[in-house]
């Protein structure tokens, strides 16, 4: 059977996989949640928007004759990853996750780990500091509980509505980022604390190198727990898996 992949995207790894698939003339579709206004252009057909939970995804897999699913979503996209495991099990389609290793602390890093976003919000219950809040757009409103801080927000799209932070600056930009720019940004805004998700990978690591260079503390949000699944870390490993996978593999 000719493979027909569904790639759950939203990461640089997903884009790299699609590029490699296109070069090899492989069939597949990349799926985006639709969170950003202009997703990175892909060399494969794309679809946008939720599937409608586990039932919707398993129906999609059957209707579209998907032979393999690659979950290349962000390490914090826990709901989509859980749905993928359940839907692939239901539809009998092999699944592999293309993931990145988490970042780990270097000797000069000043990290405090918190288990989740709520932990990061709690950690900001303190006198005013100047925070680089590098967590994307979705959970920003939770931090409005601490209006005493200045917040530097880096977002892929400018927000549609005003944010409820009395003192903030929005930097509209998308990764990959580099250390020189992040150092300059932190200096320009006199940042004294970073809040980061432990996303892993290279594209967003620059802020942690810059924090190390400036001796700044980092509140590091641990990854959500993922379901048991078959995990791969390289695009090439995914392509090898596709060429060997049978319906017994994966979940
Ligand atoms: P999530 O909480 O795990 O997913 C919530 C719902 O969004 C899912 O149940 C699904 O809806 C839909 N969805 C998520 N990813 C999808 C995809 N690739 N294709 C189609 N539907 C998708 O995910 P999230 O944290 O909101 O992240 C959304 C997307 O942004 C992900 O694709 C992720 O790769 C990307 N992203 C997330 C982060 C982050 O920090 N969370 C950072 C960078 C990029 P249905 O149940 O209706 O199918």
């Amino acid at each position: 059977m000719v493979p027909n992949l569904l790639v759950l995207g939203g990461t640089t790894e997903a884009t790299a996989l699609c590029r490699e698939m296109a070069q090899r003339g492989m069939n597949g579709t990349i799926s985006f949640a639709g969170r950003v206004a202009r997703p990175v252009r892909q060399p494969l057909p794309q679809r946008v928007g939720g599937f409608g939970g586990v039932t919707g995804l398993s129906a999609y897999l059957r209707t579209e004759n998907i032979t393999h699913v690659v979950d290349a979503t962000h390490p914090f996209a826990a709901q989509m990853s859980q749905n993928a495991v359940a839907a692939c099990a239901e539809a009998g389609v092999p699944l592999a996750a293309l993931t990145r290793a988490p970042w780990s602390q270097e000797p000069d890093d000043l990290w405090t780990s918190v288990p989740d976003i709520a932990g990061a919000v709690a950690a900001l219950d303190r006198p005013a500091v100047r925070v680089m809040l590098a967590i994307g757009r979705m959970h920003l409103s939770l931090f409005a509980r601490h209006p005493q801080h200045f917040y530097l927000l880096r977002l892929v799209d400018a927000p549609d509505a005003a944010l409820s932070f009395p003192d903030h600056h929005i930097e509209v930009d998308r990764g990959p980022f580099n250390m020189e720019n992040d150092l300059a940004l932190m200096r320009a805004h006199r940042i004294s604390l970073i809040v980061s998700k432990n996303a892993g990978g290279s594209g967003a690591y620059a802020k942690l190198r810059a924090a190390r260079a400036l001796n700044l503390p980092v509140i590091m949000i641990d990854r959500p727990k993922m379901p048991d699944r078959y995990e791969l870390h390289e695009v090439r490993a995914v392509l090898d898996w596709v060429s060997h996978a049978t319906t017994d593999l994966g979940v």
Side-chain angles (χ1 to χ4, degrees):
M1 190 197 306
V2 178
N4 180 26
L5 273 66
L6 172 65
V7 179
L8 301 171
T11 58
T12 48
E13 289 79 4
T15 301
L17 172 61
C18 291
R19 204 172 295 132
E20 195 60 37
M21 285 172 59
Q23 268 172 19
R24 294 177 181 217
M26 291 170 67
N27 294 329
T29 303
I30 180 161
S31 174
F32 292 110
R35 303 275 193 271
V36 302
R38 292 163 289 107
V40 176
R41 262 181 85 94
Q42 303 290 325
L44 285 187
Q46 67 185 60
R47 66 165 299 287
V48 179
F51 296 94
V54 175
T55 316
L57 178 54
S58 55
Y60 177 92
L61 298 179
R62 289 197 186 92
T63 316
E64 300 297 321
N65 297 315
I66 300 296
T67 60
H68 302 74
V69 175
V70 180
D71 179 358
T73 56
H74 190 272
F76 279 73
Q79 184 64 57
M80 187 68 250
S81 293
Q82 279 162 19
N83 291 358
V85 167
C88 286
E90 203 172 294
V93 174
L95 165 74
L98 174 57
T99 67
R100 4 164 153 156
W103 295 316
S104 50
Q105 200 168 178
E106 301 276 315
D108 290 336
D109 286 336
L110 303 170
W111 294 7
T112 301
S113 289
V114 293
D116 49 25
I117 300 271
V121 174
L124 289 189
D125 187 6
R126 53 184 289 173
V129 285
R130 297 182 66 84
V131 186
M132 180 175 183
L133 186 55
I135 60 159
R137 175 174 53 110
M138 278 185 304
H139 302 285
L140 289 181
S141 61
L142 299 175
F143 291 84
R145 185 179 309 171
H146 302 304
Q148 70 274 29
H149 305 303
F150 164 82
Y151 291 98
L152 170 61
L153 310 166
R154 181 156 57 193
L155 303 172
V156 174
D157 298 305
D160 300 332
L163 298 178
S164 42
F165 300 118
D167 191 10
H168 70 278
H169 172 83
I170 297 169
E171 191 76 8
V172 176
D173 201 357
R174 75 164 83 204
F177 303 106
N178 70 61
M179 184 182 168
E180 287 67 35
N181 289 353
D182 279 7
L183 268 176
L185 191 66
M186 288 178 194
R187 285 191 173 120
H189 293 281
R190 295 178 290 114
I191 294 302
S192 51
L193 176 70
I194 320 292
V195 178
S196 170
K197 289 178 172 171
N198 195 337
S202 57
Y205 190 63
K207 61 178 177 287
L208 300 173
R209 292 179 61 210
R212 188 181 306 144
L214 295 172
N215 260 323
L216 296 180
V218 175
I219 294 171
M220 184 60 75
I221 305 169
D222 289 341
R223 294 179 171 195
K225 195 168 158 26
M226 286 293 167
D228 283 342
R229 58 190 186 165
Y230 186 59
E231 294 196 348
L232 298 166
H233 304 288
E234 306 287 338
V235 166
R236 180 180 301 188
V238 172
L239 297 169
D240 287 347
W241 169 75
V242 170
S243 54
H244 294 117
T246 67
T247 45
D248 295 324
L249 276 174
V251 226

